[in-house]
């Protein structure tokens, strides 16, 4: 039974694994996502998911946008109980189960926009009491369902809803919502609106209405929506709307209890009638800020004069990127001039404006901030625009990105603005600044960045405190500015800090992206009050002095990141951060290093010299050289050039015995033996070492007369060494040892190590004192001298 059950169990196990694998493989391409970061935010966007994926662990954020998910089931988010942010926009979601989010009670951000939802259910949001952001824009629902779908969202702060199909808004649709930071409603074809639908709203900071066709087809409904919302919001924005040429005069009517202080037209199509109607409706309200941006004005500006202004509180006007279709026949704005007088802040940007009439400039009596960026203002119109009485209260003037060309023409006209303290002329083209300029004495801030300026010596306000000259072609700055506190010359061509002028109060210097190669303490200290420096992205030579100062002794605070300070040279350090770079001691103290090196080499030479002197190193060197030369000689030449029977090596102290006994006995023998003695046979004027080598080479034998004097002689040692070389290196047995007196081995100096070796390996003759034994000595010596070179004979 056991043998039968085991295979059955294995088959069952394999079958289960196969089925489980097949199940996983079927879902793998559609619900697998493991792209989670360390904050437990999983990005599963744009991976063609068709269902909610399963991710292990705690997930705080989930981006499932831009997939193919079509439905959300009850169990899809059951495991994500700590989910705080969920992005489901741009899918194909058609249905969501009522209890889909019942366990996601911590959810704070939910985006369901741009899907295919046709119905909305209050059960979706029943358990989401912590939800703060909800976006259900761009679906297919025509109404908000049975109502009160937002009643449990007491913490909601951002709500965006609506779509082109939304047709109905009812009274109880927004019950439960009282305070919002932003409310966005898109309803291009709203057919029915019940008055008071927004009655639950108490304080909405910003309301955005995109009611494109509603204003065209049902202006009464549009009027009612604006009236209802103006009582609960401080900022109302109309977006993506085309206003009819003849609209109801009460379309912009604002109730007495209105909280509205800011009104914005964004991407709208305006007519003269629209403008006139709006002005008449808000001229006596609490409206303080008007913004019109990215819009088109189809009229000609022929507006009748506005009268009966009792309480004009308009404080700020912004017109940005407005296209006037019939600009060539556009009237002036004298009709609305009474509205301009109280305004303190005016922004007129991207209008293609080439002139502001003198009358308009004079009407802006209280304007303190004027931004005319990105227009077509030129030097020639300054006389008309800055006329007598223009902008009498102006403090901030921005003329950035116009077509100004000459500071010599522009500055005198602007100098008439006695209250002007801040002037921005950046992104114009003042290439010629050699002419003198005239500025207001109160001008404290001047921005001339990105103006193609090459020199600025004669065109700087004398009392300026903040000067921006960045992004130009300036290479020097020799100007006396006793009041200057901040100077920005980044992205120019400076090779050193601008310290040639008189800048006693400068506290901030920005000089990044120039051609600086170094910074020194002397340069920094020249600015006595300098406390902040921005000098990164330069071509620094990382010398020892520069690195020492930047890493240990810099006294100012660096405004930019340390990553901006990089070595450009030497090549070995290029690309390295100044903060992490160190130079070697030799690089930083070259002269001292050379002196120490020379001293060290001198000491080494002295030590080597003393060592060689003490241990006779010179002899070893000379002998080695002589040996090398001897080895290069052909051996046949040496054998065929024998002149002596023996070369006698002896100490000068033993010369009496050699000359009296040895020479007389051997050279008078029959047949006589020829001896080579250094006194008699060395060639005068020849190097003594060459004499020794040549004499040994021309002798069949080398006779060593050993004594205490011998082991003290340097020349004897050399002769012994060379003979030892012939004995072992050339396998030539030519050495004969004669011991005149007893020499204990322990008394032989260490440098005569070869003598010890010879005495241990060869038989030597001892000179006897007895005359009979002396005869035997001479006999044996003669036999040894007459023997062949192969070692034959008695020795």
């Amino acid at each position: 039974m056991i043998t039968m059950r085991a295979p059955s169990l294995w088959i069952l196990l394999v079958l289960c694994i196969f089925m489980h694998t097949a199940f996983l493989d079927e879902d793998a391409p559609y619900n697998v996502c493991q792209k989670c970061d360390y904050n437990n935010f999983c990005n599963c966007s744009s991976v063609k998911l068709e269902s909610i994926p399963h991710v292990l662990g705690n997930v705080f954020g989930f981006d499932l946008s831009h997939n193919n998910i079509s439905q959300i089931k009850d169990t899809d988010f059951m495991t994500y109980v700590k989910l705080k942010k969920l992005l489901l926009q741009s899918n194909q979601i058609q249905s969501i189960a009522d209890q889909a989010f019942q366990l996601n009670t911590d959810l704070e951000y939910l985006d369901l926009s741009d899907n295919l939802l046709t119905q909305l259910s209050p059960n979706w949001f029943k358990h989401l009491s912590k939800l703060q952001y909800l976006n259900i824009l761009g679906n297919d629902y025509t109404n908000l369902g049975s109502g009160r779908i937002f009643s449990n969202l007491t913490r909601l702060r951002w709500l965006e809803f609506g779509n082109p199909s939304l047709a109905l808004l009812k009274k109880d649709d927004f019950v439960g919502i009282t305070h919002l930071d932003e409310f966005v409603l898109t309803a291009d074809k709203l057919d029915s609106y019940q008055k008071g639908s927004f009655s639950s709203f108490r304080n909405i900071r910003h309301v955005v209405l995109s009611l494109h066709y509603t204003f065209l087809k049902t202006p009464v409904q549009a009027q009612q929506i604006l009236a209802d919302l103006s009582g609960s919001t401080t900022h109302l924005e109309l977006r993506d709307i085309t206003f009819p040429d003849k609209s109801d005069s009460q379309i912009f009517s604002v109730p007495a209890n209105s909280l509205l202080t800011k009104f914005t037209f964004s991407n709208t199509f305006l007519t003269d009638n629209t403008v006139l109607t709006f002005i008449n409706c808000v001229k006596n309200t609490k409206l303080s800020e008007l913004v019109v941006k990215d819009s088109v004005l189809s009229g000609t500006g022929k507006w009748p004069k506005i009268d009966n202004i009792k309480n004009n509180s308009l404080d700020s006007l912004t017109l940005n990127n407005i296209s006037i279709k019939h600009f060539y026949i556009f009237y002036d704005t004298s009709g609305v001039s009474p509205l301009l007088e109280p305004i303190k802040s005016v922004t007129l940007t991207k209008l293609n404006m080439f002139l502001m009439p003198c009358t308009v400039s004079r009407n802006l009596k209280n304007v303190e901030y004027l931004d005319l960026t990105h227009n077509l203002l030129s030097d020639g119109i300054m006389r008309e625009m800055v006329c007598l009485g223009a902008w009498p209260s102006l403090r901030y003037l921005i003329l950035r990105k116009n077509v100004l060309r000459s500071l010599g023409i522009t500055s005198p006209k602007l100098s008439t603005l006695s209250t002007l303290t801040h002037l921005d002329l950046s992104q114009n083209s003042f290439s010629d600044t050699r002419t003198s300029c005239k500025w207001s004495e109160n001008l404290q801030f001047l921005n001339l960045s990105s103006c193609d300026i090459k020199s600025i010596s004669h065109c700087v306000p004398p009392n300026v405190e903040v000067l921006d000259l960045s992004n130009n072609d300036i290479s020097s700055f020799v100007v006396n500015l006793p009041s200057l506190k901040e100077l920005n010359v980044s992205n120019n061509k400076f090779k050193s800090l601008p310290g040639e002028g008189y800048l006693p109060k400068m506290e901030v210097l920005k000089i990044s992206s120039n051609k600086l190669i170094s910074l020194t303490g002397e340069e920094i200290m020249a600015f006595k009050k300098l406390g902040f420096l921005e000098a990164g992205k330069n071509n620094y030579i990382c010398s020892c002095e520069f690195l020492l100062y930047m890493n240990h002794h810099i006294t100012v605070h660096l405004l930019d990141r340390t990553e901006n300070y990089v070595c450009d040279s030497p090549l070995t350090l290029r690309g390295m951060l100044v903060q992490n770079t160190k130079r070697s001691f030799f690089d930083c103290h070259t002269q001292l290093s050379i002196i120490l090196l020379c001293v060290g080499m001198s000491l080494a030479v002295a030590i080597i010299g003393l060592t060689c002197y003490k241990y006779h190193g010179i002899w070893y060197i000379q002998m080695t050289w002589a040996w090398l030369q001897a080895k290069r000689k052909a051996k046949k030449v040496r054998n065929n050039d024998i002149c002596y029977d023996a070369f006698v090596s002896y100490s000068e102290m033993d010369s009496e015995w050699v000359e009296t006994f040895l020479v007389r006995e051997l050279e008078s023998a029959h047949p006589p033996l020829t001896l080579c003695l250094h006194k008699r046979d060395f060639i005068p004027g020849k190097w003594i070492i060459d004499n020794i080598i040549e004499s040994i080479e021309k002798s069949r034998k080398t006779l060593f007369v050993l004594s205490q004097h011998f082991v003290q002689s340097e020349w004897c040692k050399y002769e012994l060494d060379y003979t030892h070389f012939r004995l072992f290196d050339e396998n030539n047995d030519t050495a004969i040892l004669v011991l005149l007196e007893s020499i204990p081995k322990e008394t032989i100096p260490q440098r005569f190590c070869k003598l010890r070796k010879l005495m241990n390996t060869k038989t030597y003759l001892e000179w006897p004192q007895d005359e009979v034994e002396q005869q035997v000595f001479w006999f044996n010596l003669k036999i040894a001298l007459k023997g062949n070179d192969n070692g034959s004979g008695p020795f």
Side-chain angles (χ1 to χ4, degrees):
M1 294 296 294
I2 296 177
T3 57
M4 292 297 292
R5 291 181 60 186
S8 300
L9 290 174
W10 278 109
I11 292 172
L12 181 61
L13 179 61
V14 170
L15 182 61
C16 290
I17 294 174
F18 175 79
M19 292 177 65
H20 180 67
T21 305
F23 176 78
L24 289 179
D25 287 343
E26 183 180 356
D27 288 347
Y30 307 105
N31 70 345
V32 175
C33 177
Q34 300 293 337
K35 301 177 182 179
C36 302
D37 59 19
Y38 62 92
N39 289 322
N40 291 335
F41 184 89
C42 299
N43 184 1
C44 305
S45 175
S46 305
V47 291
K48 299 181 180 180
L49 295 174
E50 294 187 356
S51 60
I52 306 301
H54 305 289
V55 179
L56 299 178
N58 294 325
V59 178
F60 296 147
F62 221 159
D63 186 355
L64 298 169
S65 61
H66 301 280
N67 283 295
N68 300 321
I69 301 171
S70 59
Q71 64 175 337
I72 306 234
K73 297 176 290 187
D74 288 336
T75 57
D76 282 343
F77 293 102
M78 287 183 61
T79 57
Y80 307 117
V81 294
K82 294 187 178 181
L83 193 64
K84 292 180 179 295
K85 186 173 185 178
L86 178 59
L87 306 178
L88 287 166
Q89 71 268 27
S90 301
N91 276 279
Q92 299 177 14
I93 301 175
Q94 300 178 16
S95 64
I96 299 177
D98 285 348
Q99 305 302 322
F101 307 119
Q102 63 176 334
L103 298 180
N104 309 115
T105 55
D106 290 338
L107 197 63
E108 299 175 356
Y109 189 107
L110 177 60
D111 192 341
L112 294 169
S113 60
D114 298 322
N115 280 287
L116 303 176
L117 295 171
T118 57
Q119 292 183 345
L120 303 177
S121 171
N123 292 322
W124 299 348
F125 315 117
K126 184 177 181 180
H127 305 282
L128 305 182
S129 59
K130 295 182 180 180
L131 193 66
Q132 298 181 23
Y133 177 92
L134 176 62
N135 188 347
I136 52 176
L137 282 170
N139 283 275
D140 293 335
Y141 52 86
T142 58
N143 57 67
L144 296 182
S146 58
R148 300 178 182 269
I149 65 172
F150 308 118
S151 59
N152 293 318
L153 305 181
T154 56
R155 297 188 184 182
L156 195 66
R157 290 295 174 266
W158 292 270
L159 175 61
E160 300 183 30
F161 84 100
N163 60 77
S165 302
L166 183 63
L168 173 64
L169 287 179
K170 304 185 301 296
K171 279 189 176 182
D172 57 352
D173 281 343
F174 302 98
V175 171
I177 299 178
T178 58
H179 297 77
L180 289 175
D181 290 330
E182 183 156 331
F183 174 70
V184 178
L185 168 61
T186 299
D188 290 349
K189 300 177 182 179
L190 190 63
D191 294 329
S192 177
Y193 173 78
Q194 294 183 4
K195 184 179 180 180
S197 296
F198 302 112
S199 59
S200 64
F201 290 173
R202 294 292 179 268
N203 185 3
I204 311 298
R205 184 176 299 176
H206 183 200
V207 173
V208 179
L209 298 178
S210 179
L211 308 172
H212 182 62
Y213 290 104
T214 303
F215 275 92
L216 291 175
K217 294 184 177 181
T218 55
V220 176
Q221 292 185 8
Q223 175 187 342
Q224 188 60 57
I225 292 173
L226 293 180
D228 286 351
L229 286 173
S230 61
S232 58
T233 184
T234 57
H235 180 195
L236 181 60
E237 179 178 346
L238 300 181
R239 182 185 298 173
D240 305 327
I241 296 176
T242 299
F243 289 96
D245 189 37
K246 292 183 179 180
S247 59
D248 190 339
S249 60
Q250 299 299 317
I251 190 172
F252 295 111
S253 62
V254 178
N257 62 345
S258 173
L259 301 176
L260 199 62
T261 59
K262 182 177 180 179
F263 205 104
T264 299
F265 292 92
S266 177
N267 192 27
T268 56
F269 188 89
L270 306 173
T271 65
D272 280 342
N273 188 64
T274 306
V275 174
L276 187 60
T277 301
F278 176 78
I279 291 175
N280 284 320
C281 288
V282 301
K283 64 181 180 180
N284 292 317
T285 64
K286 297 179 182 179
L287 188 69
S288 61
E289 184 175 357
L290 174 62
V291 178
V292 183
K293 58 183 180 179
D294 304 323
S295 298
V296 176
L297 178 60
S298 65
T300 61
K302 191 176 181 180
W303 306 315
K305 188 173 182 179
I306 307 297
D307 296 320
N308 302 321
I309 299 177
K310 298 179 181 179
N311 183 23
N312 185 7
S313 59
L314 192 62
D315 183 72
S316 175
L317 174 64
T318 299
L319 305 178
N320 176 53
N321 193 25
I322 298 177
S323 174
I324 301 176
K325 295 182 66 175
H326 307 293
F327 68 92
Y328 48 88
I329 57 173
F330 196 81
Y331 284 72
D332 62 19
T333 56
S334 58
V336 295
S337 58
L339 289 174
L340 302 179
E341 292 183 3
I343 297 178
K344 294 182 179 180
S345 176
V346 176
T347 300
L348 307 174
T349 56
K350 294 185 179 180
L351 302 180
N352 291 325
M353 181 173 65
F354 58 87
L355 172 66
M356 178 181 287
C358 179
T359 54
V360 176
S361 298
R362 288 173 176 172
N363 284 330
L364 295 172
K365 296 178 180 180
N366 294 299
V367 67
E368 297 179 1
Y369 177 92
L370 179 58
D371 186 355
L372 301 174
T373 298
H374 209 313
N375 283 291
L376 301 175
L377 302 177
S378 61
D379 304 310
I381 56 88
M382 284 296 165
R383 183 183 299 275
E384 170 67 18
M385 190 167 68
V386 193
C387 57
L388 182 64
W391 313 324
S393 303
L394 188 63
R395 296 177 56 201
Y396 295 83
L397 176 59
I398 302 175
L399 294 170
R400 183 189 308 123
K401 207 170 185 181
N402 279 275
V403 289
L404 302 175
R405 295 291 181 266
S406 173
L407 284 175
I409 298 175
T410 302
S411 62
K413 297 306 299 180
L414 298 178
S415 68
T416 61
L417 304 174
S418 59
T419 59
L420 187 65
T421 59
H422 291 65
L423 177 60
D424 187 347
L425 297 173
S426 60
Q427 299 186 50
N428 285 281
S429 182
F430 300 117
S431 55
D432 186 7
T433 57
R434 292 173 293 181
T435 58
S436 60
C437 300
K438 183 179 180 181
W439 302 98
S440 169
E441 294 182 357
N442 296 322
L443 190 61
Q444 299 174 358
F445 176 94
L446 178 61
N447 188 346
L448 291 172
S449 62
S450 304
C451 289
D452 300 325
I453 297 174
K454 295 179 173 59
S455 176
I456 194 64
S457 302
H458 305 290
C459 251
V460 181
N463 298 323
V464 68
E465 295 182 4
V466 179
L467 180 60
D468 190 346
L469 297 171
S470 59
N471 301 309
N472 284 294
D473 294 322
I474 305 171
S475 58
S476 64
F477 187 76
V478 186
V479 185
N480 295 331
L481 297 173
S483 301
L484 188 65
K485 295 181 179 179
E486 180 177 338
L487 176 62
N488 187 351
V489 289
S490 299
N491 198 20
N492 277 279
K493 297 181 179 180
F494 284 87
K495 295 182 179 179
S496 61
L497 298 186
E500 299 179 4
Y502 180 63
L503 307 170
K505 294 185 179 180
M506 191 163 67
E507 300 173 359
V508 180
L509 175 59
K510 298 179 180 180
I511 194 169
S512 60
S513 301
N514 276 272
K515 296 183 178 181
L516 299 184
I517 60 175
S518 182
L519 290 174
T520 64
E522 291 76 11
E523 290 179 312
I524 301 297
M525 294 302 292
F527 306 101
K528 296 181 180 180
K529 293 190 176 182
L530 189 65
F532 301 92
L533 177 67
E534 181 180 298
K537 298 181 180 179
N538 280 289
N539 304 323
Y540 289 118
I541 298 176
C542 286
S543 62
C544 297
E545 295 79 8
F546 172 73
L547 293 175
L548 180 64
Y549 176 74
M550 291 297 293
N551 292 328
H552 300 287
H553 301 303
I554 191 166
T555 56
V556 295
H557 177 72
L558 298 179
L559 295 175
D560 46 352
R561 299 182 302 173
T562 56
E563 291 80 1
N564 293 338
Y565 295 83
V566 179
C567 296
D568 184 67
S569 64
L571 289 176
T572 54
L573 301 179
R574 177 170 290 179
M576 295 182 63
L577 296 181
V578 171
Q579 186 183 30
N580 302 331
T581 303
K582 295 181 180 179
R583 299 292 297 270
S584 65
F585 180 84
F586 181 83
D587 290 339
C588 297
H589 304 87
T590 305
Q591 186 174 0
L592 179 59
S593 299
I594 292 174
I595 293 174
L596 293 176
L597 181 62
C598 292
V599 171
M601 291 179 64
S602 300
L603 289 175
V605 170
I607 292 172
I608 293 172
L610 291 174
T611 303
C612 291
Y613 176 79
K614 183 176 180 180
Y615 297 101
H616 310 283
I618 301 298
W619 289 106
Y620 286 107
I621 296 173
Q622 291 175 331
M623 184 173 61
T624 301
W625 175 249
W627 284 351
L628 292 174
Q629 287 185 320
K631 288 186 69 174
R632 294 175 61 184
K633 296 180 181 179
K635 189 173 181 180
K636 291 183 178 180
V637 175
R638 295 200 300 266
N639 292 339
N640 295 330
D641 197 23
I642 301 300
C643 299
Y644 307 101
D645 291 306
F647 171 77
V648 182
S649 176
Y650 61 94
S651 171
E652 189 64 31
M653 303 299 293
D654 299 323
S655 60
E656 182 180 356
W657 182 87
V658 172
E659 295 170 359
T660 304
F661 296 98
L662 184 65
V663 175
R664 185 183 61 185
E665 181 66 29
L666 296 181
E667 290 189 343
S668 61
H670 297 285
L673 296 172
T674 304
L675 301 179
C676 179
L677 305 178
H678 66 270
K679 279 186 178 181
R680 183 183 66 188
D681 301 311
F682 277 10
I683 300 174
K686 196 171 186 179
W687 190 27
I688 189 169
I689 294 179
D690 287 342
N691 268 319
I692 292 173
I693 294 175
E694 187 173 339
S695 299
I696 292 175
E697 293 288 342
K698 291 182 179 181
S699 303
R700 290 189 301 108
K701 302 287 184 178
T702 302
L703 179 62
F704 292 97
V705 181
L706 304 178
S707 66
Q708 291 290 348
H709 302 300
F710 182 92
V711 296
Q712 301 298 326
S713 172
E714 297 295 340
W715 293 114
C716 293
K717 178 183 180 303
Y718 184 79
E719 293 163 355
L720 178 66
D721 286 342
Y722 186 70
T723 302
H724 189 268
F725 155 73
R726 293 187 67 193
L727 177 64
F728 290 98
D729 193 59
E730 297 183 2
N731 197 22
N732 191 349
D733 191 7
T734 61
I736 299 175
L737 305 181
V738 174
L739 197 60
L740 283 184
E741 56 186 356
S742 178
I743 306 177
K745 292 183 180 179
E746 60 273 9
T747 64
I748 300 175
Q750 193 67 30
R751 57 195 177 93
F752 276 82
C753 57
K754 293 183 176 60
L755 177 59
R756 294 184 181 185
K757 192 170 184 179
L758 284 174
M759 293 179 70
N760 290 331
T761 57
K762 293 185 69 67
T763 304
Y764 51 84
L765 294 171
E766 294 188 35
W767 172 251
Q769 298 299 323
D770 184 64
E771 292 184 1
V772 177
E773 293 179 353
Q774 289 178 1
Q775 295 300 320
V776 177
F777 170 82
W778 294 118
F779 175 78
N780 289 333
L781 181 56
K782 293 175 183 178
I783 295 299
L785 291 172
K786 293 178 180 179
N788 58 25
D789 293 338
N790 296 326
S792 60
F795 301 98

